[in-house]
Amino acid sequence: MKPLNTPPSFLLFLLNIYCPDNLLEEIEGDLIENYQFNLWQKGKFYASLLCALDVIRFFNPTTFKKSKSIKKANIYYTPFNPVIMWKNYFTIARRNLWRQKENSLINLFGLITGLIAFILIGLFAFDEFQFDKFHTNGDRVVRIVTEGAGANSAGSWAGTSPAIGPSLQQEFPEVGDHLRMYRISQKQLFNFEGQTFLETGGYFAEANIFDFFDIPFISGNPNTALTERDKVVISDNLARKYFGSEEATGKVIKIGRTDIVVSGVFEELSSHFHLDFDFLLPFQNLMDQVSDERMNSWVWQDFNTYLLLNDTESIYSLETKLLGHIEKYAHPQTLEMGFSYYVHLQPVRKIHLHSSHLQNDHAQRGNYGYLIGLLWVGLFILMIACINFINLSTAKAVKRTKEVGIRKVVGAQKRELINQFLVEAGLTVTISMIVACIAVVIILPYLNEFTGKSIAFNPFDDPRILIVLMALTSITILLSGVYPAFVLSGLSSAGHKVQSLLKPESKGEFLRKGLVVSQFALSILLIIGVLVVYQQVRYLNHTDLGFNKEQLVHFPLKGSTFNNFTTTKEEFLKIGGIESASICFGIPGDIIAGDQVIIPFPERRTLPSRIFAVDHDYVETMGFEVIAGRGFSEDFSTDKSHAFVINETAVVNLELGNSPEDAIGKDLEWQMWSENDTLKKGKVIGVVKDFHYASLHEKIQTTVMHIDPSSCWKMVARISSSDMPNVIDKMTETWDQFNTGYPLDYQFVDASFGAMYEEERKLSTLLGIFTLLAIAIASIGIFGLSAFSVQQRYSEIGIRKVLGASVVDIIQLLSKEYLILILIALAIATPVGWYVMKNWLQDFSYRITLDIWTFLFAGAVTLIIAGLTVSYQNIRAALMNPVNAIRDD
Amino acid sequence: MKGTHLGEFEELVLLATGILTDEAYAVKIAEEIHSHTNRTVSLSPVHSALYRLEKKGFVKSELGGATNVRGGRRKRIYTMTSDGREMLDRIRFIRNNLWNLLPEIS
């Protein structure tokens, strides 16, 4: 027999490594046979090459040693009794948890706080998404919102004109019905048998409001409740206030000077309803007070208009059709007034979260952007906690090689080891989840108080919550348990153990560092967020408004105080603490009239403007700084009828000149409110420095002040005394002397400004709390890690000390790596934080500029906190007696 | 029978196994496919396909005699099962039906 030509032996050896034994013989045989054939046909080189390619291709799942099908064929493999094994997993998991107390505490603390934060934020977000879901017709109800068009009317607002609703219903068959509501902004005096109170929160509403929204009645008939003008529907709250336990429906109550019949009482409104009111008056009542001409206006943008569509699909097609309709009917009227607008249809379920850009909106609004931001923060915190678990488990892997080795020797398969480590993660996460749930139950009332919500949390009551909690538990177990389980189960019994002892920096080191970097990047991001929000809120509250908002009090004039306001003012000025006072309409932080002014020369133009109706003392009382010309003065008789004071912005917008001085003496005209068709003609006598009359979200616009006693119905007073309660007492006394029948209804200007930034203030508080949590969890994580790495390098440190390294050297050695990680984190977080916060600041017309110090400060804070945590371990290690470390080796 | 689906290559391998009534082992099957389709067929996919077919129950196998050419290694000889034959018939039936439905190209 001729000696056989076989393929290169290393190829067969290679095949030997990965090919399962039961298949090896036939595959080898085939390869050799093929090789003979190719050798004879194509030569040695080519045959070897083809053989090599074949060998490589046999490296595939069906012909690979560890493939599942092969394992099944292995007669030595019998699965363990699963019940016993699972019991064993739990025993081991419990013992491990108990033995590594420090480690377990770090994990538990992190996961518990992470889960608490996440659950609370989740509950809050879920609640926010529930708004207006309960209306039967909710999917067909839309609100009309207006978007200004053109340079002079930028911005969006929630108000619409009274004409649009009926007009659309008539024109478009898709519109089934329309509902107009008008908010009663003035407080109404209710009087029932001597009990009198000022009530806010009322609307004029059309009778079909109960078809649009589900408002359950306690008594009365919703179908007829608002059909006639002398009826009122009140809340259960009001009914009990005035009538006690008596039946309210049918009673006659005095509102203002009119007797009105209570036609129905509705239950407390759902906390998920975007509207909030205590009483509803029939729309007919309003129509009787206003001329028909005004009710057909397309300009008067003070109504909330809702449409009930015939089907849910027509929203978007209808919106497009509306464009032409608005241009045809609205624009002729509005362009005459110097502005124009288009409208959008807003599904009622989106009103709550998607209206934060709207002005003039009385709905209960959330902020979608803030909500999403908060959800991200919750996720970040949970992730930081999961990373702690991953890092600590994999770092301790080396310690558990013996355990894994023994398990493998007695026959554990990889699958079982993975199960075991997943059980350990599962136990930790489940314990954390239970504790977190208990904590949430305790914390929730505080959150409710803070947010003004009434969120309930009872997993046993609400199966949805239970399901979500279980899903959250599973996800957290997977997030934190899967990777360590694979690393730990992959430890080999003999070979790798030696390796890992020689080289303590195991394979997971790079990933671990990466995770630490991401933890700190997230923490730094949160710190940057908090710093910027805090600075902006501070800026909002402390920025120079152009006048001193402290010690300013204002109140509306009623009855006799209104009729003789000169006397009223004199009486109030007699009070010791009042420095000056002014009768006016238009107080910063309060309602400001939007109107327009006319520039007669060189060509006649009408431009939008804020109009302040004031008296001679207004500029002085408010403390505006006059930068050109003069304020109003009694010395000039023409000031009352022919003078205007404007702000700096007006000089630019009205194109009155390059400097404030240029504007003095320019002509200005204004359409009188009190007498139709009468123009007030006058000249600019002074320019004041720009002052903020509204929140800093809004830009300062053209502002014109003039003396117009007929439009003034408020009084503003500057208090000089520091004893505010005393002055208020005296003011109440003075007020009562006038016998108006109304109580004194006063407000502080600084409080109104403070209330404008409530949302931002809450955001900064929440962010602050969550950031603290995030940093705490991340720090305690690296505390654990550094403890571990010190332990690993114990002998090394000992030897270094013996060789003469100083304490400082050792600390430097140990701290350096964390320093680098945090610097990397800072480098990642800075651009992201800059981008995110820049976007957030776009919301404000007046805002801080981001400066490098914020970012450096955030980095420094993190470095210091992390440095302190790490150095506790490091200093302890550096100070040890080297003998202790080396003696054992 | 584990799944009734048959890939294109699996079908070829199964057909070749059927044609080579008594000497059907990987090398011969690869040659057979090569000679009919003129595509280069390497050994490993044939092996994989055969293992899969066996798992699905379309072929059965036994180890056959060793030859000198194979360096003394035995070969695994495959024969088609009745399930395999039925499967091929079914595929053909479905194909024929589909072909009948295909409109003529004018």
Side-chain angles (χ1 to χ4, degrees):
Chain A
M1 202 192 283
K2 211 171 53 165
L4 182 76
N5 288 310
T6 51
S9 58
F10 79 93
L11 286 176
L12 294 182
F13 173 74
L14 211 65
L15 186 69
N16 234 311
I17 295 175
Y18 56 76
C19 188
D21 297 343
N22 53 345
L23 299 180
L24 187 62
E25 183 178 355
E26 54 191 271
I27 291 177
E28 258 184 13
D30 286 349
L31 280 175
I32 295 168
E33 190 179 336
N34 225 11
Y35 181 76
Q36 307 296 326
F37 179 75
N38 286 334
L39 193 67
W40 170 65
Q41 272 215 322
K42 297 171 181 168
K44 190 167 182 194
F45 172 77
Y46 206 67
S48 301
L49 187 74
L50 284 175
C51 185
L53 283 178
D54 260 333
V55 167
I56 293 167
R57 283 196 211 160
F58 268 110
F59 191 82
N60 73 30
T62 37
T63 48
F64 194 67
K65 249 180 194 161
K66 280 179 181 168
S67 118
K68 220 160 91 186
S69 58
I70 309 303
K71 218 195 266 173
K72 269 183 194 151
N74 184 349
I75 55 155
Y76 295 109
Y77 176 81
T78 40
F80 294 97
N81 180 339
V83 179
I84 294 179
M85 282 322 288
W86 282 100
K87 265 175 88 172
N88 179 262
Y89 298 155
F90 275 104
T91 318
I92 300 293
R94 203 190 60 221
R95 284 179 190 158
N96 261 320
L97 211 62
W98 194 246
R99 198 175 53 205
Q100 307 181 347
K101 281 196 195 68
E102 191 185 76
N103 212 345
S104 311
L105 277 178
I106 291 174
N107 279 333
L108 284 173
F109 169 79
L111 284 169
I112 290 170
T113 24
L115 285 169
I116 292 174
F118 193 79
I119 294 174
L120 285 178
I121 293 175
L123 284 172
F124 176 76
F126 180 75
D127 190 79
E128 285 285 279
F129 281 113
Q130 293 312 303
F131 268 76
D132 293 292
K133 289 253 165 89
F134 63 95
H135 303 301
T136 321
N137 292 327
D139 51 346
R140 297 193 287 130
V141 175
V142 295
R143 182 171 76 168
I144 304 180
V145 294
T146 318
E147 190 188 338
N152 293 332
S153 34
S156 296
W157 54 98
T160 45
S161 61
I164 191 168
S167 162
L168 292 184
Q169 190 181 346
Q170 208 172 28
E171 186 88 3
F172 297 100
E174 294 97 322
V175 180
D177 206 354
H178 76 273
L179 161 68
R180 287 175 291 176
M181 295 179 72
Y182 180 89
R183 186 165 173 272
I184 306 167
S185 52
Q186 267 176 279
K187 294 179 182 175
Q188 298 293 314
L189 189 71
F190 277 49
N191 183 347
F192 179 73
E193 292 175 357
Q195 301 181 75
T196 54
F197 299 99
L198 282 176
E199 298 296 348
T200 51
Y203 280 90
F204 289 113
E206 290 190 286
N208 57 2
I209 179 172
F210 307 109
D211 300 336
F212 280 69
F213 305 121
D214 289 14
I215 303 170
F217 267 48
I218 293 174
S219 63
N221 180 358
N223 292 328
T224 56
L226 291 174
T227 44
E228 287 156 56
R229 65 159 291 177
D230 289 332
K231 289 181 170 180
V232 64
V233 181
I234 58 173
S235 67
D236 185 31
N237 223 345
L238 276 195
R240 263 180 290 164
K241 182 166 163 188
Y242 288 97
F243 310 109
S245 54
E246 284 175 51
E247 173 67 49
T249 309
K251 291 255 172 22
V252 175
I253 191 167
K254 213 178 192 121
I255 300 181
R257 290 199 196 86
T258 330
D259 283 329
I260 292 198
V261 183
V262 176
S263 58
V265 178
F266 55 86
E267 279 177 23
E268 195 183 339
L269 294 175
S270 160
S271 55
H272 293 142
F273 190 14
H274 74 278
L275 288 173
D276 188 18
F277 46 80
D278 266 322
F279 61 94
L280 293 175
L281 287 166
F283 203 68
Q284 191 59 45
N285 192 322
L286 175 74
M287 306 238 277
D288 289 351
Q289 295 176 38
V290 179
S291 68
D292 282 355
E293 193 195 338
R294 286 201 78 184
M295 285 313 288
N296 290 323
S297 157
W298 287 81
V299 176
W300 186 18
Q301 303 279 324
D302 273 344
F303 292 80
N304 284 345
T305 309
Y306 300 87
L307 299 178
L308 183 63
L309 304 179
N310 286 328
D311 61 82
T312 46
E313 279 81 41
S314 49
I315 295 182
Y316 298 103
S317 58
L318 184 60
E319 204 173 51
T320 345
K321 286 192 218 166
L322 290 184
L323 294 175
H325 190 78
I326 297 293
E327 277 172 5
K328 188 171 159 196
Y329 293 96
H331 286 189
Q333 283 191 27
T334 59
L335 286 173
E336 208 172 282
M337 306 299 253
F339 74 109
S340 64
Y341 62 78
Y342 289 99
V343 298
H344 295 286
L345 300 179
Q346 188 182 35
V348 72
R349 287 171 183 169
K350 286 197 168 172
I351 291 178
H352 178 69
L353 280 179
H354 298 271
S355 297
S356 51
H357 62 294
L358 297 176
Q359 297 168 20
N360 174 25
D361 188 3
H362 310 299
Q364 296 198 58
R365 300 193 293 185
N367 188 317
Y368 188 73
Y370 291 180
L371 189 63
I372 296 301
L374 265 183
L375 278 173
W376 275 109
V377 171
L379 203 63
F380 285 173
I381 296 179
L382 193 58
M383 266 159 58
I384 293 177
C386 288
I387 288 175
N388 271 356
F389 189 94
I390 294 172
N391 277 348
L392 289 176
S393 315
T394 53
K396 301 248 161 160
V398 188
K399 274 188 136 182
R400 299 186 69 172
T401 28
K402 270 186 206 149
E403 181 195 335
V404 173
I406 300 279
R407 279 183 175 269
K408 285 204 164 169
V409 165
V410 295
Q413 298 286 322
K414 187 163 180 160
R415 165 79 51 93
E416 283 143 357
L417 288 169
I418 291 177
N419 281 347
Q420 187 206 323
F421 291 115
L422 274 182
V423 165
E424 276 177 32
L427 197 67
T428 318
V429 174
T430 312
I431 294 175
S432 312
M433 182 54 105
I434 293 169
V435 178
C437 284
I438 296 170
V440 166
V441 171
I442 297 169
I443 299 171
L444 198 59
Y446 298 99
L447 180 79
N448 278 337
E449 197 178 322
F450 184 74
T451 57
K453 286 181 173 294
S454 48
I455 304 168
F457 177 75
N458 190 344
F460 304 107
D461 245 20
D462 191 343
R464 284 177 311 182
I465 293 184
L466 198 62
I467 290 168
V468 170
L469 287 180
M470 270 153 56
L472 182 62
T473 316
S474 319
I475 292 169
T476 316
I477 292 175
L478 289 180
L479 269 181
S480 50
V482 164
Y483 178 72
F486 274 92
V487 170
L488 291 168
S489 62
L491 296 172
S492 177
S493 37
H496 290 182
K497 189 190 166 195
V498 180
Q499 234 177 30
S500 55
L501 283 180
L502 289 175
K503 209 176 78 165
E505 298 215 346
S506 56
K507 266 191 295 180
E509 189 68 17
F510 183 73
L511 183 92
R512 195 145 64 231
K513 282 182 175 165
L515 289 175
V516 170
V517 167
S518 44
Q519 276 186 320
F520 277 92
L522 293 178
S523 306
I524 295 171
L525 199 60
L526 287 175
I527 298 177
I528 292 173
V530 166
L531 288 176
V532 174
V533 174
Y534 176 76
Q535 285 178 52
Q536 175 69 15
V537 171
R538 227 185 104 81
Y539 175 80
L540 292 175
N541 284 322
H542 296 281
T543 193
D544 181 16
L545 296 175
F547 66 96
N548 180 9
K549 67 174 193 267
E550 317 293 331
Q551 305 275 83
L552 269 181
V553 74
H554 67 86
F555 51 88
L557 301 176
K558 305 269 185 188
S560 54
T561 54
F562 179 67
N563 299 333
N564 318 304
F565 52 75
T566 340
T567 336
T568 314
K569 190 166 151 187
E570 278 165 14
E571 284 301 313
F572 273 93
L573 279 173
K574 281 181 193 160
I575 300 170
I578 295 187
E579 189 182 289
S580 62
S582 166
I583 309 281
C584 59
F585 172 50
I587 297 162
D590 196 48
I591 315 166
I592 308 289
D595 200 348
Q596 58 265 309
V597 287
I598 301 158
I599 316 282
F601 303 112
E603 75 215 54
R604 200 171 177 82
R605 288 176 302 152
T606 307
L607 291 161
S609 165
R610 298 287 187 175
I611 295 290
F612 285 61
V614 300
D615 66 8
H616 288 92
D617 299 324
Y618 185 76
V619 175
E620 189 203 330
T621 307
M622 296 308 296
F624 296 147
E625 189 188 328
V626 181
I627 52 173
R630 56 181 177 83
F632 297 110
S633 162
E634 304 270 13
D635 303 336
F636 296 84
S637 59
T638 48
D639 273 10
K640 195 172 172 187
S641 47
H642 300 292
F644 295 97
V645 171
I646 60 174
N647 69 351
E648 281 173 283
T649 308
V651 176
V652 179
N653 285 357
L654 303 178
E655 295 169 23
L656 295 178
N658 295 326
S659 72
E661 283 77 19
D662 292 349
I664 307 298
K666 293 273 164 68
D667 289 294
L668 217 55
E669 288 176 14
W670 178 71
Q671 167 84 54
M672 301 274 282
W673 286 334
S674 44
E675 291 151 74
N676 264 350
D677 308 325
T678 311
L679 282 176
K680 176 170 178 173
K681 298 182 181 181
K683 290 190 189 306
V684 175
I685 59 159
V687 177
V688 295
K689 206 167 159 236
D690 272 349
F691 62 95
H692 290 272
Y693 48 83
S695 103
L696 267 66
H697 283 285
E698 287 171 41
K699 266 203 133 43
I700 296 176
Q701 289 168 342
T702 308
T703 302
V704 172
M705 287 176 269
H706 68 114
I707 297 179
D708 181 20
S710 59
S711 310
C712 296
W713 54 280
K714 290 217 172 186
M715 180 163 147
V716 59
R718 168 82 61 189
I719 315 288
S720 54
S721 153
S722 56
D723 188 5
M724 188 61 85
N726 184 29
V727 177
I728 296 292
D729 279 348
K730 284 188 191 151
M731 281 170 65
T732 317
E733 277 170 36
T734 312
W735 176 268
D736 288 343
Q737 285 166 17
F738 285 92
N739 283 321
T740 54
Y742 289 84
L744 177 70
D745 179 26
Y746 63 90
Q747 269 180 325
F748 294 98
V749 172
D750 55 348
S752 333
F753 272 93
M756 288 172 196
Y757 313 122
E758 188 62 13
E759 205 173 1
E760 281 75 20
R761 198 185 57 77
K762 281 185 174 174
L763 180 75
S764 78
T765 314
L766 279 182
L767 257 183
I769 293 172
F770 288 130
T771 305
L772 277 183
L773 284 181
I775 298 171
I777 301 173
S779 306
I780 201 165
I782 62 161
F783 181 80
L785 267 188
S786 63
F788 168 76
S789 80
V790 163
Q791 220 168 17
Q792 282 285 304
R793 303 172 79 170
Y794 210 54
S795 311
E796 180 196 331
I797 298 164
I799 294 169
R800 279 179 191 274
K801 283 199 85 169
V802 170
L803 292 178
S806 70
V807 173
V808 177
D809 290 336
I810 303 284
I811 293 176
Q812 257 175 9
L813 173 80
L814 292 171
S815 308
K816 203 175 65 193
E817 64 177 302
Y818 292 100
L819 185 77
I820 292 167
L821 293 184
I822 288 167
L823 287 178
I824 296 174
L826 184 63
I828 296 172
T830 306
V832 180
W834 186 83
Y835 177 77
V836 173
M837 292 328 287
K838 183 140 186 93
N839 267 343
W840 179 72
L841 285 174
Q842 295 298 322
D843 258 11
F844 299 89
S845 296
Y846 298 91
R847 53 184 178 252
I848 54 164
T849 43
L850 290 175
D851 59 16
I852 186 83
W853 292 107
T854 311
F855 297 93
L856 289 182
F857 185 69
V861 166
T862 324
L863 264 183
I864 290 169
I865 294 174
L868 286 176
T869 2
V870 172
S871 55
Y872 170 75
Q873 300 285 356
N874 293 350
I875 292 172
R876 217 169 53 163
L879 289 176
M880 68 161 178
N881 183 351
V883 173
N884 295 334
I886 317 175
R887 190 166 46 195
D888 299 336
D889 291 329
Chain B
M1 198 162 74
K2 186 195 173 190
T4 48
H5 178 73
L6 217 50
E8 189 258 355
F9 189 72
E10 282 176 351
E11 191 185 336
L12 281 180
V13 172
L14 185 54
L15 279 166
T17 314
I19 295 167
L20 301 161
T21 36
D22 50 12
E23 268 291 89
Y25 65 97
V27 179
K28 277 275 173 303
I29 291 171
E31 265 173 36
E32 188 71 28
I33 296 174
H34 173 70
S35 68
H36 285 286
T37 63
N38 204 23
R39 54 165 123 156
T40 332
V41 182
S42 52
L43 280 175
S44 55
V46 177
H47 274 273
S48 305
L50 284 168
Y51 297 145
R52 282 201 298 272
L53 285 170
E54 190 168 17
K55 232 188 294 168
K56 291 176 184 176
F58 296 144
V59 296
K60 59 180 194 278
S61 71
E62 56 188 359
L63 286 172
T67 57
N68 189 37
V69 185
R70 295 172 60 83
R73 272 86 167 181
R74 286 177 297 171
K75 48 189 145 189
R76 188 172 284 273
I77 298 186
Y78 290 87
T79 41
M80 200 201 294
T81 62
S82 55
D83 275 351
R85 177 74 212 192
E86 204 181 297
M87 187 66 194
L88 285 175
D89 286 342
R90 214 163 74 203
I91 292 173
R92 188 171 180 182
F93 175 71
I94 294 171
R95 294 254 161 95
N96 284 343
N97 281 348
L98 287 172
W99 272 105
N100 291 337
L101 294 174
L102 199 65
E104 295 277 325
I105 296 164
S106 52

